[in-house]
Amino acid sequence: MINEESHSKNANVQRQSTMSRNHSIPVPPSLGEGSGLGFNLKLISGPCSAETEEQVMTTARQLAAFGCRIFRAGVWKPRTMPGGFEGKGEAALPWLQRVKQETGMKVATEVATPEHVRLALHYGIDILWIGARTTTNPFAMQDLADALRGHNLPVMIKNPVNPDIDLWIGAIERIHQTGISRIAAVHRGFTSYNRQMYRNIPLWQIPIELSRRMPHLPIFCDPSHIGGRRDLIAPIAQKAMDLGFDGLLIECHCCPDEAWSDAAQQITPAQLHDIITHLVVRDKHVEHEGLTPLRREIDDVDAQLMTLLSERMRICREIGQYKKQHNMTVVQTSRYNEMLDKRLAQAAERALSPDFIAKIYEIIHHESVRQQIDIINKPKRR
Ligand code: PEP
Ligand code: MN
């Protein structure tokens, strides 16, 4: 269980305490019913927005027909720019009730204010999700947590738009502290200034780290908002399966081209079915004993890497002393470029990716510079 510790003002201490806490959030049973597709994949699907009763019912019936068990539809839509379709609001909630009654699917919608929570509960919505823009704001999160106190329905918490894992964990903790026990995280990618391939860059290391810190928390992937494009949904969904995500949240619309929001990323239920049947779902719980010798080899190689890195830093510190004695600057760009060129050539000979090696040397160089700056700034002993 999450145990609340006294909040230290010291950021480092706080980070460490968060890292070492043993979070354990039980798998939400109603998010864990499987997809009905014959394998262990939890699937949540439905349109970005509930637009009309007919669009909601048609999409829901098609999804239910191939075994989807949880239906999503946004009723209150957080739009980046004013003037977009902001959702049908309360008027759409009876449509979700009808989806429940007619298809037997559980229904999920986004809540961003206490009033949304009140209405969603009033209309019997089964699962709530908190959107990326709301997770970013601790005041809004606390208001939602207060509104949810005393209710125990599953809540999914999307990552904040900015890549701040502590903000994500803080939002999860606020909801968990209210007594809500069925919580899942949703990875939907992060805003970046430079949108190239993805609408929201995935930065997979962040959900992986979340999973390491909260090992019992189910994590879903939302390929629709990461990719922002129909053709990216299948490869992102496959990547999520390869990384051991617990399920997928995918936007689906009976007529995607006519969708009132996020048209470019919505697919038809038939296209979703096709993607799902081609996914390779891997089992993250199987322990392969055959891997033990190879894992030992990895441990040995890592031990050697550590020794070498520590040796490299010792030499850097000696260089730092020399630079100090000779009043030299710490960074000599020409030397750094020359070294990087050599390392990239060495990497190519060993079939190592140049990008990977360049990234590693950037970090190593950064640490060497930090250590040398420490040395040259240390006051002389009298
Ligand atoms: C959504 O799921 O429709 C949505 C608005 O997503 P996000 O909060 O991830 O942008
Ligand atoms: Mn959307």
Side-chain angles (χ1 to χ4, degrees), residues 48 77 225 251 262 265:
C48 176
K77 299 304 299 176
H225 289 91
E251 286 186 346
D262 289 354
Q265 71 196 32

Side-chain angles (χ1 to χ4, degrees), residues 48 72 77-78 110 129 131-133 158 188 222 225 249 251 262:
C48 176
R72 64 146 282 158
K77 299 304 299 176
E110 171 171 350
W129 85 79
R133 292 157 192 79
K158 290 193 157 197
R188 49 77 78 198
D222 173 347
H225 289 91
L249 175 70
E251 286 186 346
D262 289 354

